[in-house]
Amino acid sequence: MSNDRFTLCLLLYSISQVYVVHSAASNSLSNCNAIAAKFSTTYSNGPAASIISTTGTNVTCASLTGVSCPGSTSSGSCVFQHKLCITCYMSGSTVKIRVQSNGLPLFCPNIPSGVTLSEQNIDFSVNFNPDVSVNSPYITVTTQTAIDSTICNVSNQATPPSASGFTAISSTSNGIAGVSIDGVAILNANSANNVDPFYPSPTTIAAEHVDQCMGHPNPQNIYHYHIGSGCALSASQSTSVQACATVSSCISSISTYSISQFSSYKTLTVIGIAKDGHVIYGPYDSSGNQITSGYDVCNGVFYDSVGNYAYFATQTFPYIFGCYGPGNYPTVYPSCSTNPPTKYTKSIYAGSNINGLSNICYLLIILVSIYIS
Ligand SMILES: *[C@@H]1O[C@H](CO)[C@@H](O)[C@H](O)[C@H]1NC(C)=O
Ligand SMILES: *[C@@H]1O[C@H](CO)[C@@H](O)[C@H](O)[C@H]1NC(C)=O
């Protein structure tokens, strides 16, 4: 092999390394604390012995009465407390994050009368932003049957991969998929019918109702999201929250409505943490572009040259995330939604082509080294 070609390979390999996802993610203690600071915490000397017994922030809601008041009623208003504590700490050389929330938001949700909403004990710990690689996905689905049994399964987000070091400190934490920055639970991407809650397929299954803040309580009385909520970021979006069904722009296209709530957040914006320790971002990247490609089957994106992997809120199912990634990039789509992605593609940082090229060069460099020696 000529020196020129060897030099070219070396050059290509060096260039490609800029784009290849390195497996070391930003998971130092200070990285964790920076993410924790985005949450609307109410208790700072964490972890709390019990999040429920801490003093939270009062939220006063004239709209909540009877069983839909998760606090106490005084002069016709419901007063409940939002309680949230996020603690980053070292366990050996691993940075862990402890997430404790009573699940109640900072706004007054719109709860149908007669439906119960109650304070929860959400408490778990997990490795913060664990190192993952595009070349070693946890989820690989290539057939219609495989993608459906994974992405269209209401139980598939119960247990994160063991590499995440997830520990459920309260049993409630087993039933959720993550926690929003406002302490509200993020549940499985699916409804109990194993379909997209908002754009179900088959269409004989009714879409679920949520309020204008994209939340609703489940049978365990847990108020929760399945799709990005701007109310988690801004209280101004959440005064006199109506039922989505009574707001024409919401009911006509809830997926568009959800994205529109982030119009003042057209940059990389933390909106929550998944139970596998990965950060969840809103619908926009750091350049202000809406994420419409670059994500895998779980809704996960390798979004920078460091090797960080996170979930992004999207306009298509599963909206927040549908499995614990990294996942692969199949050419089949979940059949339980009438609003699935049209394509799964690697981001430039997932180094698809350039990575392959660099590997060939790497091999040649090794071969030449052996030849020279
Ligand atoms: C919060 O609400 C409770 C119950 O209504 C009340 O006793 C308490 O004084 C309130 N705290 C603040 C800081 O307003
Ligand atoms: C759904 O996922 C759970 C947990 O991973 C699994 O035990 C179950 O078999 C799955 N159901 C279907 C229908 O694939």
Side-chain angles (χ1 to χ4, degrees):
M1 185 162 108
S2 78
N3 266 351
D4 284 356
R5 237 193 279 166
F6 179 72
T7 310
L8 181 69
C9 269
L10 203 61
L11 189 69
L12 268 174
Y13 180 68
S14 312
I15 294 168
S16 71
Q17 287 305 289
V18 176
Y19 295 101
V20 168
V21 170
H22 295 273
S23 58
S26 306
N27 46 24
S28 70
L29 190 58
S30 64
N31 295 145
C32 181
N33 282 323
I35 297 297
K38 307 287 183 187
F39 285 69
S40 58
T41 53
T42 58
Y43 186 83
S44 49
N45 293 314
S50 154
I51 190 67
I52 288 176
S53 45
T54 63
T55 302
T57 304
N58 277 359
V59 181
T60 304
C61 303
S63 55
L64 295 178
T65 52
V67 290
S68 61
C69 174
S72 56
T73 307
S74 91
S75 15
S77 287
C78 166
V79 182
F80 65 79
Q81 289 203 333
H82 159 84
K83 299 170 187 171
L84 178 60
C85 179
I86 309 287
T87 313
C88 298
Y89 62 99
M90 300 297 303
S91 170
S93 57
T94 304
V95 175
K96 305 211 69 142
I97 188 164
R98 175 100 175 251
V99 179
Q100 300 174 290
S101 175
N102 75 341
L104 297 178
L106 264 171
F107 56 84
C108 299
N110 188 290
I111 307 295
S113 71
V115 174
T116 307
L117 183 62
S118 63
E119 181 171 46
Q120 303 293 325
N121 179 22
I122 296 167
D123 194 345
F124 65 84
S125 66
V126 65
N127 297 351
F128 172 71
N129 191 20
D131 296 349
V132 289
S133 165
V134 67
N135 298 319
S136 314
Y138 293 132
I139 302 288
T140 301
V141 289
T142 52
T143 63
Q144 189 67 55
T145 309
I147 194 170
D148 287 349
S149 68
T150 301
I151 308 298
C152 303
N153 180 336
V154 73
S155 310
N156 81 318
Q157 281 159 274
T159 313
S162 57
S164 283
F166 170 80
T167 304
I169 298 166
S170 71
S171 58
T172 306
S173 306
N174 288 316
I176 66 170
V179 170
S180 167
I181 48 162
D182 66 347
V184 168
I186 297 168
L187 254 58
N188 190 285
N190 300 282
S191 75
N193 296 313
N194 292 328
V195 293
D196 178 337
F198 309 115
Y199 297 86
S201 173
T203 51
T204 45
I205 297 174
E208 295 203 336
H209 289 288
V210 290
D211 65 25
Q212 246 182 311
C213 285
M214 309 287 100
H216 63 179
N218 71 355
Q220 288 75 41
N221 312 331
I222 307 174
Y223 185 72
H224 63 274
Y225 303 134
H226 298 279
I227 190 168
S229 168
C231 300
L233 286 159
S234 161
S236 67
Q237 308 219 20
S238 48
T239 46
S240 47
V241 177
Q242 306 297 307
C244 175
T246 64
V247 178
S248 59
S249 54
C250 187
I251 197 66
S252 64
S253 173
I254 191 173
S255 63
T256 308
Y257 191 82
S258 160
I259 302 293
S260 73
Q261 293 190 323
F262 294 88
S263 59
S264 304
Y265 300 90
K266 290 188 175 175
T267 186
L268 197 62
T269 306
V270 176
I271 64 163
I273 185 126
K275 239 167 54 175
D276 64 356
H278 290 291
V279 178
I280 307 169
Y281 289 105
Y284 294 92
D285 66 15
S286 55
S287 310
N289 297 314
Q290 190 185 338
I291 296 290
T292 54
S293 64
Y295 52 84
D296 62 23
V297 69
C298 298
N299 249 26
V301 181
F302 285 95
Y303 67 95
D304 65 14
S305 58
V306 174
N308 286 306
Y309 175 84
Y311 304 109
F312 280 74
T314 56
Q315 205 160 336
T316 51
F317 180 74
Y319 310 111
I320 302 177
F321 66 117
C323 46
Y324 297 112
N328 67 330
Y329 301 81
T331 51
V332 286
Y333 306 94
S335 72
C336 57
S337 173
T338 61
N339 185 31
T342 51
K343 216 186 244 183
Y344 298 110
T345 52
K346 288 181 178 175
S347 73
I348 57 161
Y349 303 109
S352 49
N353 297 327
I354 215 153
N355 196 3
L357 240 190
S358 81
N359 284 342
I360 291 166
C361 288
Y362 191 55
L363 192 69
L364 288 175
I365 290 165
I366 291 169
L367 286 175
V368 167
S369 310
I370 291 168
Y371 178 75
I372 289 169
S373 65

